Amino acid sequence: MEKNSVLVIGASTENPYFSLTAAMRSRSLLFELQPPVLEEAGLEQALNMRLDMVERRVGLQVQLEVDNSLPRPQAVDAELYYMAIEALNNVLKHADADRVTLQIARADACLRLVVADNGRGFDATRSSSGMGLKNMRQRAVNLGGELTIATRLNAGTTVTATIPLAHATPEVAPLELGESV
């Protein structure tokens, strides 16, 4: 009698690394498709959940700082979330880092997202065939901003998205004459 079998791609009982990698990728994909609490609880909690489910589970030391004093439209938070996730995915895939810092804060007349790692860095003059950096750059441009990458071999990478506050904050209707706040 012929025995039926099921092939599970990325999983292996013989090599636990493949199982960990498959689990990590599955969690990462789920968070990329739909941030579970972004709409309900906000950007900081959504990022913290992602960090707990993926980066911290693989031993990455993570520091998260989000300035919530500045109101942001949900659409801006979604773009910031996806840029942060893409940068974190790059840290996991390429950096061989053990520490990453993620900051979202006001800087002069801008909102700034910074993801910095202590990994191996890369040669920024070499062209990349991936879509991650291109997608992050396009998201920043869609918000009227820009994306910069500072990296040196064996000295880590810092990805910074700078968004003008005019694009990052909700529009406030002007007061009518005689109206008080």
Side-chain angles (χ1 to χ4, degrees):
M1 178 170 231
E2 193 172 308
K3 188 176 179 182
N4 291 330
S5 63
V6 176
L7 173 64
V8 179
I9 298 173
S12 169
T13 56
E14 296 170 11
N15 188 337
Y17 170 77
F18 290 117
S19 295
L20 176 62
T21 301
M24 199 171 69
R25 283 192 161 179
S26 295
R27 284 188 190 102
S28 177
L29 286 172
L30 287 173
F31 274 88
E32 287 175 34
L33 292 174
Q34 178 63 42
V37 296
L38 185 57
E39 290 180 19
E40 295 90 16
L43 180 60
E44 184 172 12
Q45 189 168 347
L47 288 170
N48 242 327
M49 284 187 69
R50 156 59 195 241
L51 295 169
D52 285 343
M53 294 298 294
V54 180
E55 283 75 14
R56 290 181 180 121
R57 282 194 177 191
V58 297
L60 199 59
Q61 295 176 29
V62 180
Q63 181 179 349
L64 173 64
E65 300 169 14
V66 178
D67 178 357
N68 288 314
S69 67
L70 186 65
R72 297 176 304 269
Q74 193 169 7
V76 170
D77 275 1
E79 294 296 326
L80 291 170
Y81 177 85
Y82 288 115
M83 284 187 281
I85 296 308
E86 187 61 51
L88 291 168
N89 286 343
N90 286 343
V91 170
L92 289 171
K93 289 182 205 172
H94 308 293
D96 194 28
D98 62 5
R99 285 191 321 269
V100 65
T101 300
L102 195 159
Q103 298 174 313
I104 299 173
R106 184 179 185 154
D108 299 323
C110 295
L111 182 65
R112 191 163 285 149
L113 163 71
V114 178
V115 179
D117 68 62
N118 69 340
R120 65 173 141 222
F122 64 96
D123 182 355
T125 63
R126 292 183 57 199
S127 178
S128 169
S129 61
M131 294 299 298
L133 295 177
K134 293 172 189 157
N135 288 341
M136 284 189 286
R137 183 165 278 114
Q138 188 59 53
R139 287 182 188 279
V141 168
N142 289 347
L143 293 173
E146 65 181 10
L147 185 83
T148 58
I149 300 165
T151 185
R152 275 194 359 227
L153 289 175
N154 301 315
T157 300
T158 301
V159 175
T160 305
T162 305
I163 312 301
L165 284 178
H167 295 275
T169 56
E171 290 187 26
V172 178
L175 293 174
E176 295 294 323
L177 190 59
E179 193 176 31
S180 62
V181 181

